[in-house]
């Protein structure tokens, strides 16, 4: 599986601590058509705090990139990736 860093964003949580959010486009090309997914990782300084991924979200790269852009604008964290992706799939 290929990981392509799409966004890196600095946020400050409710306690005033600074975190970095990394948004990755995942590309799985085992057959003819690629399947795209998302990974979000949250770091405090250089320590990984949490990470979540959905490896198989869509065969449309542009649709997944658009979703990643929306998630980055909304400061989506790994904890909220799964429910938001579920909404994306049901739309």
């Amino acid at each position: 599986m290929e990981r392509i860093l799409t966004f890196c964003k600095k946020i400050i949580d409710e306690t005033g601590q600074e975190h970095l959010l990394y948004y990755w486009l995942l590309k799985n090309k085992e057959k003819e058509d690629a399947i795209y997914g998302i990974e979000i990782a949250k770091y405090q300084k250089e320590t990984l705090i949490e990470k979540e991924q959905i490896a198989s979200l869509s065969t449309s790269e542009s649709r997944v990139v658009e979703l990643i852009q929306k998630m980055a604008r909304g400061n989506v964290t790994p904890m909220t990736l799964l429910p938001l992706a579920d909404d994306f799939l049901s739309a």
Side-chain angles (χ1 to χ4, degrees), residues 38 54 57 67 71 80-91:
I38 297 173
I54 301 171
L57 194 56
L67 179 60
M71 289 184 168
T80 55
L81 171 61
L82 295 176
L84 289 174
D86 187 46
D87 290 345
F88 169 78
L89 291 172
S90 349

Side-chain angles (χ1 to χ4, degrees), residues 7-11 19-23 71-75:
F7 287 98
C8 178
K9 190 167 189 185
K10 186 186 299 185
I11 62 166
H19 299 279
L20 288 175
L21 293 173
Y22 291 90
Y23 297 87
M71 289 184 168
R73 280 194 303 268
N75 296 334

Side-chain angles (χ1 to χ4, degrees), residues 31-79:
K31 300 178 183 174
E32 282 184 30
D33 295 327
I35 298 176
Y36 298 92
I38 297 173
E39 177 179 305
I40 302 175
K42 181 179 178 181
Y43 286 82
Q44 183 177 14
K45 297 188 179 175
E46 294 181 14
T47 305
L48 177 65
I49 303 297
E50 58 182 303
K51 178 173 84 169
E52 189 64 67
Q53 72 171 232
I54 301 171
S56 301
L57 194 56
S58 175
T59 56
S60 170
E61 179 179 8
S62 62
R63 218 170 149 212
V64 175
V65 168
E66 180 182 341
L67 179 60
I68 292 172
Q69 290 171 342
K70 288 178 181 178
M71 289 184 168
R73 280 194 303 268
N75 296 334
V76 172
T77 63
M79 184 182 299

